[in-house]
Amino acid sequence: MAVFTPVTLDDIAQWATQYDIGRVLALKGISSGIENSNFFLSAERGEYVLTIFEKLGFDQLPFYLKLMRHVAERGVAAPLPLANRDGELLATLHGKPACVVTRLEGACQMAPHPAHCAEVGAMLARLHLAAADFPIRQPNLRGLDWWNETTPVVLPYLPDAGQHLLRAEMHFQEAFATSEAYHRLPRGPIHADLFRNNVMFDGKRLTGFFDFYFAGVDTWLFDVAVTVNDWCIDETSGALDPARVRALVGAYHAVRPFTDDESASWRPMLRAGALRFWLSRLYDFHLPRDAQMLTPHDPGHFERILRERIAKPVPPL
Ligand SMILES: Nc1ncnc2c1ncn2[C@@H]1O[C@H](COP(=O)(O)OP(=O)(O)O)[C@@H](O)[C@H]1O
Ligand SMILES: N[C@@H](CCOP(=O)(O)O)C(=O)O
C-alpha cells in the first residue's frame, strides 16, 4: 500500500551509480509506512533503504537527513544517509526528492518488555546529547503554535465532552508553556515521534531509531513523554505500566540525568505529549489529506491517554 511511486530495477540501475554502493542486485517495495515510498535495496556493498519523499520537499528535507547523519556519525543507532558523488544527501528520482540510507537490522518490537524500554531510554538520551550541537535549528513544527492553529479546526467535530477537554487542556498547556520551570527545561533537536513502529530491535538489541521526519527543536522532556506514552502503556486503557516507565526513564537518567525542573514538569509534559497526538489524529481523521488511501489512526486512543494523565498520578522521573 505504501509504494506510491513505483520503481523498477531498470529505473534504478543507472541512478544508483551516483552512490558508492556497487551494482544494485535487488529492489523490493516496503508495504508498511504511510508518508513515503520505501524500498529495500540490495547492492554489492550492502543493504540499504531507498526512500522517495511524497510530501516533504527539497527545502525541508536537508534538516532531517543532515540530523540523521550528524547523530549516526556520533554513535547513535540510526540509519546513515549516503552522500552521492556530489556530496549531496538528496537526489531526484522520478521528479521527486529521494535518498538512500543504510538498512537497520531486525524488526519493530510492538510488545515491549522493560528491557526493550531501557534500551530505548538510554539511546534517546544519547540522541539528545549527540544532537545538541547540530547547527541547523528547525522548531518542532507540531508544537504549541500548531496546536493553537489546529484546535479551532477540529473542535467542531467533537462532542461536548471532547470540546470541553480540548479547550481546558489547551488552556492548561498555554499556562505550562509560560511557566518559569518550562523555560528552564533543556532543549535541542528531538525525534518527536519515537513510537514503537519507529525503532528496530534485533532480539533485545536496539539496532536503530528511524523516521526522523517530525524532528525539530523542542524540550528533551517532550521527547521522553511522547516515547513513554507509546512504549510504556496498557494499550487498552492508556494507563502507564510502572515497570516499563521506570526502565525507560531510569536508563535515560543514567546517560543524561533529569533536572529538578524536568521532574517538576513530568506530568504536564506527559499531558502535552498526549495532546499533540490527539490533535494530529483528530485532524487526519476528520480532514484526510487524499482520497484516503489508509485507515487513519484512532484519535480516541490519545484522548484516553490524556484523560488518564490528568486523572491519575504518574511514576516520578
Ligand atoms: N533504515 C531502515 N532500515 C530498515 N527498515 C527501514 C528503514 N527505514 C524504513 N524501514 C522500513 O520501512 C517501513 C516504513 O518506514 P517509515 O519511515 O515508517 O515510512 P513512512 O515515512 O512512509 O511512514 C518501516 O516500518 C520499516 O519496516
Ligand atoms: N506516530 C503517529 C503518526 C506518525 O506516523 P509514522 O508512521 O510516520 O510514525 C501516530 O501514531 O499518530
Side-chain angles (χ1 to χ4, degrees), residues 30 32-36 38 40 49 79 101-104 108 197-198 200 210-211 213:
I30 304 177
S32 59
I34 57 170
E35 294 277 332
N36 304 307
N38 293 295
F40 292 126
V49 171
V101 305
T102 52
R103 179 173 174 175
L104 304 169
C108 296
N197 65 345
N198 286 333
M200 288 288 184
F210 62 101
D211 204 353
Y213 304 111

Side-chain angles (χ1 to χ4, degrees), residues 48-269:
Y48 305 92
V49 171
L50 162 69
T51 299
I52 302 178
F53 296 98
E54 303 291 344
K55 296 194 192 82
L56 291 168
F58 282 97
D59 45 340
Q60 301 147 308
L61 282 160
F63 172 82
Y64 306 110
L65 295 177
K66 287 180 179 175
L67 176 61
M68 281 162 73
R69 197 169 168 98
H70 184 92
V71 298
E73 284 173 348
R74 285 159 180 76
V76 173
L80 182 72
L82 303 191
N84 67 12
R85 297 200 197 282
D86 297 329
E88 299 291 336
L89 302 180
L90 265 180
T92 306
L93 184 57
H94 291 324
K96 296 176 182 171
C99 73
V100 175
V101 305
T102 52
R103 179 173 174 175
L104 304 169
E105 288 169 34
C108 296
Q109 174 50 260
M110 300 309 283
H113 296 170
H116 298 110
C117 295
E119 289 277 299
V120 171
M123 191 60 75
L124 183 58
R126 290 175 61 190
L127 169 69
H128 291 163
L129 295 176
D133 65 348
F134 182 61
I136 313 176
R137 295 273 137 175
Q138 172 177 289
N140 171 12
L141 301 176
R142 292 281 180 275
L144 186 59
D145 289 349
W146 184 83
W147 308 350
N148 270 316
E149 277 165 36
T150 307
T151 294
V153 179
V154 299
L155 266 176
Y157 296 97
L158 292 176
D160 286 353
Q163 290 199 7
H164 178 75
L165 176 66
L166 181 49
R167 285 208 183 88
E169 190 60 23
M170 280 302 296
H171 196 64
F172 176 84
Q173 291 296 335
E174 292 270 14
F176 173 46
T178 54
S179 69
E180 286 186 16
Y182 182 89
H183 284 287
R184 288 193 299 261
L185 296 176
R187 52 176 51 234
I190 64 168
H191 185 286
D193 184 29
L194 197 61
F195 284 44
R196 286 162 292 159
N197 65 345
N198 286 333
V199 179
M200 288 288 184
F201 274 92
D202 193 3
K204 288 216 170 86
R205 184 175 65 94
L206 192 161
T207 57
F209 294 169
F210 62 101
D211 204 353
F212 279 70
Y213 304 111
F214 282 116
V217 173
D218 206 330
T219 63
W220 284 340
L221 191 64
F222 179 72
D223 220 8
V224 181
V226 166
T227 308
V228 163
N229 274 341
D230 187 66
W231 284 84
C232 308
I233 60 163
D234 173 78
E235 280 289 292
T236 312
S237 66
L240 289 169
D241 169 8
R244 279 181 283 157
V245 178
R246 275 197 301 273
L248 197 152
V249 302
Y252 183 102
H253 183 79
V255 177
R256 204 279 298 172
F258 292 111
T259 65
D260 290 346
D261 289 314
E262 289 183 304
S263 297
S265 304
W266 181 221
R267 192 161 164 198
M269 201 61 94

